[in-house]
């Protein structure tokens, strides 16, 4: 008798559907047993399944749909002709108020998606109902340990398990059917510094692979592989060398040490190079690729006074997935000086260049150049800036940047273009082989930088940006107002011609990741609270739907019972979204799922709390100057400039009720907001310091108040 579970697909077989139909219970079979459905679906997810799914993409089993992370769906039931008829099928409340950055993964109608604080949700896409929720119970008071919001970019699936990297460093394996923990490992054990995990794990050849963030705080980057079944550590590769007085872990670290200046004692601040996001895998070449992060501290002159490329910062590195052994690297920003990470999502593609087929990596990191590399050996093919840049005039034939000396001077305030937010940040891009175009969220967030020549590791001090919460950049921010202009745009980039085919201007930076399909459509959410479909060939806007709050995550699409759906997880946040926004509405994190002919009612959107400019708090004007420096050292990256910035998913203090600011000590010292991520400044700030900060907040509000 045919099995009731099709093991090749990990789902109820044809025999099961026939049996259910004969009994007249097909709908009940599907909808009444979502946990069993989840178990059957995910049990079949392995390397063979992921590769087979790539041919037709009925499911979305990994964060980028396939190992190459193309984010290209071969589904075309929704297409440029009928996308205008999309309607909401259902929405799901993620019960979160901070940033949502995860791409929903879906297998046989079962969705797994994460919200802020690493909370995992399993959802039945046939109904939009919850199957289970797993909360790793992160200590909310540790929110300050990460630079860029308490976000999580999603899960990995493998043979009946769901894997999530938690904020506090645990790699957790969950039972796909129940959400119960199977095992967990502390990936930070044996390491020092303020480490966090925000990225989605990947599973290559039965190994769960995860990196971490923290280069702003002074850590050494590394990536680790664990056995998917048992959690046993299989290998670990560091991206920068450790203390040269101790043995190096491998030959790659020995070679890297030659590119650093020991007089800078880089190992004390870790060196950086954290691998917090992008990973891809080529099964044919048996090679995985990972993007590495920025230097720690940011300032190249402070970190490595006599220069040097500082390997393997800001690089794409090829590793053997079985052993973690280094194969090759290409460094996109030698001697990083601006937080130009190369952790941004990369895409593996096979394209023709000069008439010949090439296996390539397509990459658009923070530094503003679009790279095409040969993924068989890491050789440079081409690079062209996709936004204005002022740190390099281009790349030579050997793949080395042609530096602009003034950008490295650091002795006076200069605009970094692009700035540390990046010309492209973590927001995923997608590649459509039919159009040959990459759909890229590009941006500029103006930032002015200058070296802090008196920086010392882990020494907090007035005026040193966010040093009171552990930041170690050796840079001053906006000592002069930036002159560059902010923008956000969707670029359709031709990687062969190295130029834009079309572009769409958005009202703000920090727009969502993209999805493209065989139906000639590109989907993207926007910072101003819309989910939009464009013609992939021309850029013509075809459809949009409101989402209330801004969208930063990328969508996914999949088939369920013969019908194509598109889902996007919405929740404004990330580092830019902490203190800024482009909408006047707010709401909890929400998954929106659309289908042709969908008729569900949109959830209610709540108006953003407008607030009046702060007034009436008594303060000593003589304390404003000191308060300014203390605010920069402890508050500005989260709360923005009082009354000037609008506030993001964290409120701007210039628009709070006066009673909050009058009683500021009650919030700064073991206050109630610790349960939402507010740090405790007990022992770090004095009562007099708080009075100075209050003077700065009210004094700034008074200074910008319109005069009658």
């Amino acid at each position: 008798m045919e099995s009731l579970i099709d093991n090749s697909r990990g789902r109820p077989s044809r025999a099961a559907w026939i049996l259910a139909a004969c009994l007249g219970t097909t709908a009940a079979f599907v909808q009444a047993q979502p946990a069993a459905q989840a178990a059957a679906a995910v049990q079949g997810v392995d390397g063979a399944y992921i590769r087979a799914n790539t041919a037709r993409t009925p499911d979305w089993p990994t964060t980028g749909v396939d190992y190459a992370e193309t984010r290209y769906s071969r589904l075309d039931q929704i297409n440029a002709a009928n996308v205008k008829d999309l309607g909401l099928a259902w929405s799901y409340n993620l019960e979160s108020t901070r940033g949502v950055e995860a791409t929903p993964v879906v297998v046989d109608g079962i969705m797994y998606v994460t919200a802020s604080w690493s909370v995992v949700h399993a959802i039945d896409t046939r109904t939009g109902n919850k199957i289970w929720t797993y909360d790793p119970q992160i200590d909310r008071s540790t929110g300050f340990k990460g630079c860029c919001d308490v976000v999580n970019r999603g899960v990995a699936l493998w043979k009946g398990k769901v894997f999530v990297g938690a904020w506090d460093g645990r790699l957790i394996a969950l039972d796909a059917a129940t959400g119960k923990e199977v095992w967990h490992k502390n990936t930070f054990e044996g390491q020092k510094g303020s480490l966090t995990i925000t990225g989605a794990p990947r599973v290559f050849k039965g190994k769960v692979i995860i990196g971490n963030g923290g280069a702003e705080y002074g850590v050494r980057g590394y990536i680790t592989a664990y056995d998917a079944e048992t959690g046993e550590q299989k290998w670990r590769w560091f991206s920068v060398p450790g203390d040269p007085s101790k043995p190096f872990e491998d030959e790659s670290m020995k070679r890297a040490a030659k590119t650093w200046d020991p007089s800078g004692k880089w190992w004390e601040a870790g060196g950086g190079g954290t691998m917090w996001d992008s990973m891809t895998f080529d099964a044919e070449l048996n090679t995985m690729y990972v993007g590495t992060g920025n230097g720690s501290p940011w300032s190249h002159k402070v970190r490595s006074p006599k220069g040097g490329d500082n390997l393997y910062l800001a690089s794409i590195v090829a590793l053997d997935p079985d052993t973690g052994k280094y194969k090759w690297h290409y460094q996109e920003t030698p001697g990083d000086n601006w937080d130009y990470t190369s952790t941004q999502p990369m895409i593996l593609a096979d394209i023709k260049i000069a008439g010949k087929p090439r296996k390539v990596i397509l990459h658009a990191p923070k530094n503003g150049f679009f790279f095409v590399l040969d993924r068989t050996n890491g050789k440079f093919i081409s690079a062209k800036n996709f936004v204005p840049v002022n740190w390099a005039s281009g790349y030579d034939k050997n793949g080395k940047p042609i530096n602009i000396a003034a950008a490295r001077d650091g002795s006076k305030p200069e605009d970094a273009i692009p700035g540390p937010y990046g010309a492209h940040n973590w927001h995923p891009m997608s590649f459509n082989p039919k159009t040959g175009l990459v759909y890229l969220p590009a941006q500029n967030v103006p930032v002015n930088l200058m070296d802090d020549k008196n920086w010392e590791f882990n020494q907090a001090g007035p005026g040193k940006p966010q040093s009171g919460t552990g930041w170690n950049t050796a840079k001053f921010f906006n000592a002069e107002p930036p002159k560059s202009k902010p923008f956000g745009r969707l670029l359709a980039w031709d990687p062969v011609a190295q130029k834009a085919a079309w572009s769409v201007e958005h009202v703000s930076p920090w727009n969502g990741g993209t999805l493209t399909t065989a139906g000639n459509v590109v989907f993207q959410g926007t910072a101003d609270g819309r989910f939009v479909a464009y013609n992939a060939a021309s850029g013509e806007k075809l459809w949009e739907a409101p989402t209330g709050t801004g969208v930063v995550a990328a969508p996914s699409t999949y088939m369920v019972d013969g019908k194509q759906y598109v889902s996007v997880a919405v929740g404004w946040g990330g580092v830019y979204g902490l203190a800024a926004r482009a909408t006047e509405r707010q709401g909890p994190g929400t998954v929106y799922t659309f289908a042709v002919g969908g008729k569900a009612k949109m959830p209610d959107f709540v108006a953003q709390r407008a607030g009046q400019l702060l007034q009436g708090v008594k303060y000593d004007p003589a304390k404003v100057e000191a308060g300014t420096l203390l605010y920069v050292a402890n508050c500005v990256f989260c709360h923005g400039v009082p009354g000037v910035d609008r506030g993001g998913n964290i409120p701007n203090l210039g628009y709070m009720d006066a009673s909050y600011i009058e009683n500021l000590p009650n919030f700064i010292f073991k206050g109630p907001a610790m349960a939402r991520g507010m740090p405790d400044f007990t022992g770090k700030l004095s009562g007099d310091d708080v009075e100075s900060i209050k003077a700065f907040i009210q004094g700034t509000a008074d200074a910008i108040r319109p005069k009658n």
Side-chain angles (χ1 to χ4, degrees), residues 92-109:
Y92 175 92
N93 187 346
L94 291 168
E95 300 177 354
S96 60
T97 60
R98 301 288 290 270
V100 175
E101 297 186 353
T103 301
V105 297
V106 183
V107 176
D108 196 21

Side-chain angles (χ1 to χ4, degrees), residues 286-609:
N286 194 37
T287 302
M288 63 163 286
Y289 310 90
V290 61
T292 68
N294 56 283
S296 179
W298 290 5
S299 171
H300 186 215
K301 288 184 176 180
V302 172
R303 184 179 70 242
S304 193
K306 295 179 182 177
D309 286 351
N310 295 173
L311 294 176
Y312 298 93
L313 299 180
S315 300
I316 291 177
V317 181
L319 302 173
D320 183 322
D322 297 313
T323 64
K325 185 178 180 180
Y326 163 93
K327 289 189 172 185
W328 56 255
H329 79 277
Y330 172 74
Q331 190 171 43
E332 294 174 325
T333 312
D336 168 49
N337 191 47
W338 310 272
D339 186 25
Y340 284 166
T341 63
S342 289
T343 50
Q344 287 57 55
M346 70 182 83
I347 292 171
L348 310 185
D350 296 346
I351 61 178
K352 282 188 175 181
I353 297 176
K356 296 181 179 180
R358 301 288 297 269
K359 294 180 179 297
V360 301
I361 296 173
L362 307 176
H363 200 221
K366 275 190 182 182
N367 74 14
F369 286 87
F370 192 101
F371 293 86
V372 182
L373 307 177
D374 187 318
R375 73 173 181 271
T376 69
N377 54 24
K379 298 299 183 184
F380 174 83
I381 295 174
S382 65
K384 179 69 175 178
N385 60 298
F386 59 92
V387 297
V389 302
N390 72 350
W391 71 276
S393 59
Y395 280 69
D396 65 24
K397 64 180 181 179
N398 297 314
K400 291 289 188 180
I402 304 166
N403 288 292
I404 296 173
R408 288 192 175 274
D409 179 77
S411 63
K412 57 184 179 179
E414 294 287 350
D415 278 17
I417 305 175
Y421 292 92
H424 173 220
N425 206 293
W426 63 267
H427 314 80
M429 61 186 190
S430 57
F431 173 67
N432 190 318
K434 284 189 170 182
T435 64
L437 300 176
V438 173
Y439 303 98
L440 166 63
Q443 64 181 20
N444 183 55
V445 178
V447 174
N448 184 282
L449 295 175
M450 181 175 70
D451 283 352
D452 177 1
K453 296 179 180 179
N454 297 316
W455 170 86
E456 293 183 44
F457 182 53
N458 275 345
Q459 294 300 306
K464 297 177 182 291
Q466 221 58 44
S467 60
T469 57
W471 282 58
N472 279 281
T473 62
K475 292 279 187 179
F476 292 114
F477 290 66
N478 297 342
E480 291 182 357
K483 299 180 180 65
S484 66
K485 301 299 181 184
F487 66 78
R489 64 177 62 119
L490 172 61
L491 285 180
W493 190 263
D494 183 335
V496 178
Q498 284 283 26
K499 65 179 183 180
W502 54 261
S503 66
V504 174
E505 295 297 315
H506 293 317
V507 301
S508 168
W510 216 247
N511 299 282
T514 69
L515 155 70
T516 186
T517 75
N520 195 36
V521 180
V522 176
F523 291 95
Q524 185 189 31
T526 65
D528 61 340
R530 298 175 296 130
F531 187 49
V532 189
Y534 302 93
N535 184 298
S538 67
E540 175 191 2
K541 186 173 78 172
L542 303 173
W543 167 88
E544 70 175 49
T547 57
T549 188
V551 186
V552 291
S556 59
T557 186
Y558 47 90
M559 294 287 281
V560 180
D561 303 333
K563 192 176 184 68
Q564 185 181 356
Y565 296 84
V566 180
S567 293
V568 63
V570 177
W572 181 245
V575 63
Y576 180 79
L578 293 173
R581 69 176 192 274
T583 64
E584 296 302 333
R585 293 176 173 176
Q586 63 181 355
T590 304
V591 177
Y592 293 92
T593 294
F594 300 92
V596 171
K599 301 293 185 184
K601 180 181 179 295
M602 279 282 185
D604 293 331
F605 305 137
V606 178
Q608 188 83 24
R609 179 183 177 275

